[in-house]
Amino acid sequence: MTTQAASQPMILGELRLRRSRLKSLWRIAQQKPVGAVAALVCIALILVAVFADVLAPYDAARQGVPRLQAPSASYPLGTDNLFRDIFSRILIGSRISLGVGFGSVLLGTIFGTTLGLVSGYFGGWVDMVVSRVIDVVLGFPPLVFAIFFLSIFNTDRGFSLKAFTLVSLAIGIIITPTTARIVRASVLSIRNLQYIEAAISIGGSSPRIMARHVLPNVVAPIIIIASIQIGNAILAEAALSFLSLGIADASHPSWGAMLQDTRGVWEQAWWTAIVPGAAISIAVLSFNLFGDALRDVLDPRLRSTS
Amino acid sequence: MAQYITKRVLFSLLVLFAISVVVFTAVRMTPGDVCKIVLATPDVDQQQCDAIRNELGLDKPAPVQYVKYMGNLLSGDWGKSFFSKREVWGEIRTRIPLTLELTVLSTVFALAISIPIGVISAVKQDGWLDYVLRFVTIGWLSIPSFWLATMLIVFPAKWWGYSPPIGYVNLWDDPLKNLEQLYLPAFSLGLALSASLARVTRSSMLEVLRQDYIRTSRAKGLAERAVVIRHALRNALIPVTTLFALQVAVLFGGTVVLEQIFSLPGLGTLTLSAVFVRDYPQIQGLVLFFGAVLVMINLVVDVSYAWLDPRIRYA
């Protein structure tokens, strides 16, 4: 009896809290209608990637439909030169495109945050070493770096967890410098505040202070830069797959690889050239617009850093 | 100024040194036996293998190999390709003009598109034109340049039966045909680049337009045109230059993809074909070359930046 009575107001309180959160979300959506639409498209894309095999009308890998059919009711986006349904392949392909996109941003954010945190917090020679390491990474043209990296480490290409990790790592390293610089600048701006000094004076260890006191206060810029980088990562993945350096193979399509597969027939079947590129552009545009809106909402001061 | 330049040059040399060490080490970390790659067969006999290792200098300790490699590099000997047995530097050199021309043309397109858009957007801040231009540029930012290139091939061919001539000709042999081959890839790359440049031009212009000296030049009765172009734009271009230096790196990556689409025999095509056959001497030479060019461009931009804006020299 008592537990029930006690939990009732708690549930009510939680409901009220949830409703007020929804309300503030709605208010933000009204202020940033473009960003809100972009966020919905992003969520839809993620759902499509998750449920791709349920949604796809045909087996994306199997060759069993008429060749090079223009878009129609039975093949909404047409068919390709290897007897496959393009709509199904676009749905399944979202897995690699978004998967590598998120994977590489996750890795890049972890590296960049660690480097930025350490160099901003310790300063001095640590900062100098980290900055020089970043300068070296920036000395490579990004895509050329990724190609070089994959040519050395991903020698047996194809669809595997190892290949996924390596491609994500290649793109992750490319985006690390930007994250590291932004995190470093944010850490520097709070490094000498009193609560950090207090934490040091009561004898907190450096890793503990960085994790418990510094990191939580630089989370906003990290989220913003990560969301902006997802679009770039998807673009980079598409370029690598297009160059046959990604993780796509015959039964695991990706949007970039689909363009490569149909290169010879673009002129006779325009949809094979337009559809995968449109998928890439829509995904990248939605994540870019979403990241932009998120930045304006969370931290208007960062507006000039794009 | 002399001191600043010396410092930047030394720093660039240091970065170049670090890049060469990274590339050199990475190439030696490749999984698999180098003999199998060179002979392109899984079963090799030991004697052949030793001969290859000896020829490539792989039987010596790594630091010795590095010093020897760098010494040869500086005297113009970049080693030989595993497969074609041609000089690595010779292969690179013959492909420089095409990639250079593509890069320069893309830059021209990018600047011609982005600067006017950035300026108009800033001058008409928050007007409908500004909103349209901002939305359009963020759209461009999301279009992969290789997809745009695809459409530029597909639709003119479909509608007007037009396609750019295939087979590359040198600029000096037939300038018109050469330009006809390069303007589509250059436009695709330039458009992608112009998006970020336009955005930075806009925000940099907005900042400059609020400065006191702009108010002064308006107060003394200068025409708005003169204020915007002569007084504001010239100062606003400094951050644009920096971004541009960063974007040159992206441009290099873009040429790899676009040369592939338009079947142009440039540095990008060379890189890709070397990657697919695991021609490590060629890959190593190419990556070092790209790195060196990039570091030099950054050096030039840093120095000119300091020359344009005295505040940087003394910081």
Side-chain angles (χ1 to χ4, degrees):
Chain A
M1 272 312 270
T2 41
T3 48
Q4 218 176 15
S7 65
Q8 205 108 29
M10 257 173 69
I11 290 168
L12 273 178
E14 195 155 287
L15 269 179
R16 212 167 289 146
L17 190 72
R18 224 177 266 168
R19 203 172 297 158
S20 76
R21 273 206 195 130
L22 273 179
K23 235 183 226 165
S24 63
L25 256 184
W26 175 240
R27 211 170 306 128
I28 291 171
Q30 278 176 320
Q31 279 167 6
K32 299 261 162 210
V34 179
V37 172
L40 288 179
V41 177
C42 293
I43 293 170
L45 283 169
I46 294 169
L47 288 177
V48 164
V50 172
F51 297 107
D53 42 2
V54 186
L55 294 169
Y58 298 89
D59 184 342
R62 243 193 43 233
Q63 303 169 303
V65 298
R67 185 171 181 268
L68 291 181
Q69 297 286 306
S72 64
S74 39
Y75 310 108
L77 298 176
T79 63
D80 71 3
N81 48 336
L82 295 167
F83 307 92
R84 299 174 299 200
D85 176 46
I86 293 181
F87 179 59
S88 307
R89 287 177 74 74
I90 288 284
L91 295 183
I92 300 284
S94 68
R95 287 186 164 168
I96 288 184
S97 298
L98 297 190
V100 173
F102 278 101
S104 49
V105 169
L106 182 70
L107 289 175
T109 304
I110 292 173
F111 298 153
T113 303
T114 313
L115 288 176
L117 207 56
V118 167
S119 71
Y121 182 80
F122 289 110
W125 67 270
V126 178
D127 186 24
M128 213 193 71
V129 169
V130 171
S131 301
R132 291 301 86 86
V133 169
I134 288 174
D135 283 327
V136 171
V137 175
L138 287 174
F140 294 94
L143 195 62
V144 174
F145 176 85
I147 293 172
F148 177 59
F149 183 91
L150 293 173
S151 79
I152 286 177
F153 297 106
N154 193 24
T155 46
D156 34 61
R157 299 184 188 92
F159 188 81
S160 67
L161 185 64
K162 185 184 157 214
F164 172 80
T165 317
L166 285 170
V167 173
S168 304
L169 201 57
I171 302 174
I173 294 175
I174 294 173
I175 60 182
T176 297
T178 318
T179 312
R181 285 189 169 171
I182 286 173
V183 173
R184 176 179 171 274
S186 315
V187 170
L188 282 181
S189 72
I190 62 163
R191 173 70 181 82
N192 294 318
L193 293 184
Q194 274 178 342
Y195 66 91
I196 305 290
E197 206 182 316
I200 295 172
S201 64
I202 60 167
S205 67
S206 296
R208 189 188 152 83
I209 295 173
M210 278 192 276
R212 296 287 296 269
H213 302 285
V214 181
L215 187 59
N217 288 293
V218 295
V219 161
I222 294 174
I223 292 176
I224 294 165
I225 189 68
S227 69
I228 290 173
Q229 281 172 335
I230 291 176
N232 293 334
I234 294 175
L235 267 185
E237 192 282 330
L240 287 174
S241 313
F242 178 74
L243 296 174
S244 316
L245 291 167
I247 59 173
D249 60 21
S251 40
H252 301 90
S254 90
W255 296 336
M258 288 174 70
L259 280 175
Q260 178 63 259
D261 287 349
T262 56
R263 259 190 78 185
V265 295
W266 286 347
E267 286 175 31
Q268 38 169 316
W270 55 268
W271 56 93
T272 60
I274 300 309
V275 171
I280 299 167
S281 299
I282 290 169
V284 175
L285 181 65
S286 324
F287 280 104
N288 277 349
L289 289 171
F290 171 65
D292 248 32
L294 197 65
R295 177 187 58 195
D296 288 355
V297 171
L298 286 181
D299 192 351
R301 277 171 308 164
L302 280 170
R303 218 172 276 198
S304 58
T305 53
S306 69
Chain B
M1 190 70 190
Q3 199 191 354
Y4 177 83
I5 293 178
T6 323
K7 223 171 96 186
R8 295 301 310 174
V9 169
L10 285 178
F11 169 71
S12 303
L13 287 175
L14 201 69
V15 171
L16 264 182
F17 169 72
I19 289 176
S20 68
V21 172
V22 169
V23 172
F24 187 84
T25 318
V27 165
R28 269 142 197 84
M29 281 166 69
T30 49
D33 191 351
V34 74
C35 309
K36 288 176 191 161
I37 302 173
V38 175
L39 298 171
T41 155
D43 32 49
V44 285
D45 75 85
Q46 199 54 42
Q47 219 165 2
Q48 261 181 315
C49 205
D50 287 342
I52 289 169
R53 289 180 164 278
N54 188 0
E55 194 195 317
L56 294 171
L58 289 175
D59 47 357
K60 298 185 184 66
V64 177
Q65 288 180 39
Y66 175 78
V67 171
K68 192 155 175 279
Y69 179 76
M70 288 311 284
N72 288 344
L73 199 74
L74 294 176
S75 60
D77 175 14
W78 291 44
K80 279 194 176 69
S81 155
F82 271 174
F83 299 96
S84 66
K85 303 290 176 205
R86 280 195 285 250
E87 293 284 331
V88 166
W89 170 243
E91 294 282 285
I92 295 178
R93 202 186 47 203
T94 52
R95 285 169 168 85
I96 292 175
L98 168 63
T99 304
L100 181 69
E101 196 191 339
L102 185 56
T103 319
V104 171
L105 271 180
S106 316
T107 308
V108 171
F109 274 120
L111 293 177
I113 299 167
S114 62
I115 305 281
I117 287 184
V119 171
I120 293 170
S121 206
V123 171
K124 308 268 178 206
Q125 190 194 3
D126 292 331
W128 64 268
L129 195 57
D130 180 28
Y131 279 111
V132 170
L133 290 176
R134 275 160 71 190
F135 191 78
V136 168
T137 47
I138 202 167
W140 286 344
L141 212 52
S142 319
I143 297 178
S145 55
F146 58 90
W147 184 52
L148 184 68
T150 315
M151 293 196 292
L152 290 177
I153 293 179
V154 172
F155 284 109
K158 193 173 153 59
W159 292 331
W160 309 302
Y162 169 82
S163 46
I166 295 176
Y168 170 70
V169 287
N170 194 288
L171 175 64
W172 310 118
D173 294 344
D174 188 350
L176 269 182
K177 194 171 170 213
N178 170 281
L179 287 177
E180 200 184 346
Q181 278 169 331
L182 288 185
Y183 80 100
L184 283 178
F187 178 74
S188 322
L189 261 182
L191 194 68
L193 180 61
S194 71
S196 54
L197 286 179
R199 281 158 69 93
V200 169
T201 308
R202 176 181 179 274
S203 59
S204 168
M205 273 298 279
L206 284 178
E207 210 162 283
V208 172
L209 283 172
R210 293 199 187 107
Q211 302 285 324
D212 288 342
Y213 61 83
I214 296 297
R215 198 184 317 138
T216 310
S217 53
R218 281 202 183 116
K220 71 181 182 186
L222 277 182
E224 187 63 21
R225 216 184 138 77
V227 174
V228 169
I229 293 176
R230 206 173 320 144
H231 292 254
L233 180 61
R234 283 174 76 175
N235 287 296
L237 284 182
I238 295 177
V240 180
T241 323
T242 316
L243 176 81
F244 178 71
L246 284 174
Q247 293 288 333
V248 167
V250 179
L251 211 55
F252 280 156
T255 57
V256 177
V257 187
L258 284 168
E259 283 174 13
Q260 189 70 5
I261 295 183
F262 287 89
S263 314
L264 295 169
L267 288 171
T269 309
L270 182 65
T271 311
L272 268 187
S273 51
V275 163
F276 282 119
V277 294
R278 302 179 69 186
D279 187 349
Y280 289 115
Q282 190 71 62
I283 299 174
Q284 186 170 334
L286 278 162
V287 176
L288 281 179
F289 176 76
F290 276 122
V293 172
L294 202 58
V295 169
M296 270 185 310
I297 290 173
N298 278 318
L299 176 68
V300 171
V301 169
D302 274 351
V303 171
S304 57
Y305 200 88
W307 181 65
L308 287 170
D309 188 347
R311 281 170 298 183
I312 292 159
R313 254 175 274 165
Y314 303 112

